[in-house]
Amino acid sequence: LAPIDGVHWKQLLGGGSMATDGTGLKVQVPGVGLHHGYIEVYHRDELVVYQYEPEKGGTTQAAKLAKFTGALLIDAESRYNETFQANPNIVEFNCNAHPRRKLRDAEAAQPLLAAEAGRFVTAMFDAEAEAKTAGIAGDALREWRQARIRPTVEAFRLWIDAVKPTLIPSDPLRKVLQYYVNHWTELTRFIDDPRVPIDNS
């Protein structure tokens, strides 16, 4: 684990594009018992930094990223709100893997419609994987995404706007579609920025 003021951490905050994600971690504290901590991973190019925190509060996250400038790829969590409010030099990108998993979960309640929505998202991921396999990068990747992914995204949005009003508010699929609507700009921003992957998995 790199200390927060370590060399690797300073390299990570140097600017450009960075992805981050985290997960809960159970920690045995001698004399205290089991503590539910949190470990985060920050990824930029070939550099990966893991950071442990005893909690996952927004203030802690904002302090860590106070000096960062560039694109930040995250799950759309409210704990990042403080980060973006405090640092206007960060541009938010949202991970597409998170709602993709939610769509799969929604198939239990809406097997046909959720699967139909999933085909749009799978087409996006397939086009991205094809570009990666072909070694497409930089401006060529931007052009690829605009030609191959943007039409799928636009068709998906039309589908969402047509289907969402037909579902009751408690429907799991409607909740996923509302998530897409709420975070549409951040979920699709990667199309025009070849530095940023489609997800942070």
Side-chain angles (χ1 to χ4, degrees):
L1 297 180
I4 196 164
D5 58 349
V7 173
H8 294 310
W9 184 257
K10 290 178 181 177
Q11 290 174 353
L12 193 74
L13 296 178
S17 171
M18 178 167 59
T20 182
D21 201 359
T23 187
L25 182 70
K26 294 181 180 179
V27 180
Q28 185 68 40
V29 181
V32 177
L34 197 63
H35 172 73
H36 295 278
Y38 196 73
I39 192 160
E40 295 170 324
V41 59
Y42 298 86
H43 178 220
R44 178 175 173 229
D45 300 324
E46 300 304 314
L47 178 62
V48 181
V49 173
Y50 293 88
Q51 283 279 304
Y52 171 77
E53 292 292 346
E55 46 79 28
K56 56 179 289 188
T59 300
T60 300
Q61 188 66 261
K64 284 184 179 185
L65 298 172
K67 295 181 180 180
F68 179 67
T69 298
L72 184 65
L73 177 60
I74 60 167
D75 288 342
E77 292 184 75
S78 60
R79 73 188 183 104
Y80 289 101
N81 292 347
E82 193 171 340
T83 295
F84 296 114
Q85 291 168 0
N87 188 346
N89 297 314
I90 300 178
V91 180
E92 180 180 359
F93 290 72
N94 288 165
C95 168
N96 280 275
H98 178 72
R100 187 186 197 190
R101 290 191 294 269
K102 295 293 185 183
L103 272 178
R104 290 173 179 160
D105 293 343
E107 288 188 27
Q110 289 283 358
L112 297 179
L113 287 175
E116 190 173 344
R119 284 192 285 274
F120 288 106
V121 180
T122 296
M124 292 164 50
F125 274 85
D126 287 349
E128 186 74 359
E130 189 177 342
K132 185 174 182 179
T133 299
I136 300 173
D139 290 340
L141 179 57
R142 179 187 294 109
E143 293 172 5
W144 172 274
R145 287 172 170 176
Q146 290 172 346
R148 295 287 303 276
I149 297 179
R150 187 180 299 284
T152 300
V153 164
E154 291 174 350
F156 185 34
R157 183 55 191 261
L158 290 174
W159 186 93
I160 289 173
D161 291 342
V163 172
K164 188 171 74 71
T166 70
L167 303 172
I168 62 173
S170 61
D171 191 298
L173 179 58
R174 183 182 174 119
K175 292 179 180 179
V176 181
L177 298 185
Q178 187 62 55
Y179 180 96
Y180 273 104
V181 171
N182 292 348
H183 304 286
W184 188 258
T185 298
E186 294 80 11
L187 284 166
T188 61
R189 188 172 271 157
F190 78 98
I191 295 171
D192 297 313
D193 194 329
R195 301 173 302 167
V196 182
I198 191 171
D199 65 28
N200 63 3
S201 297

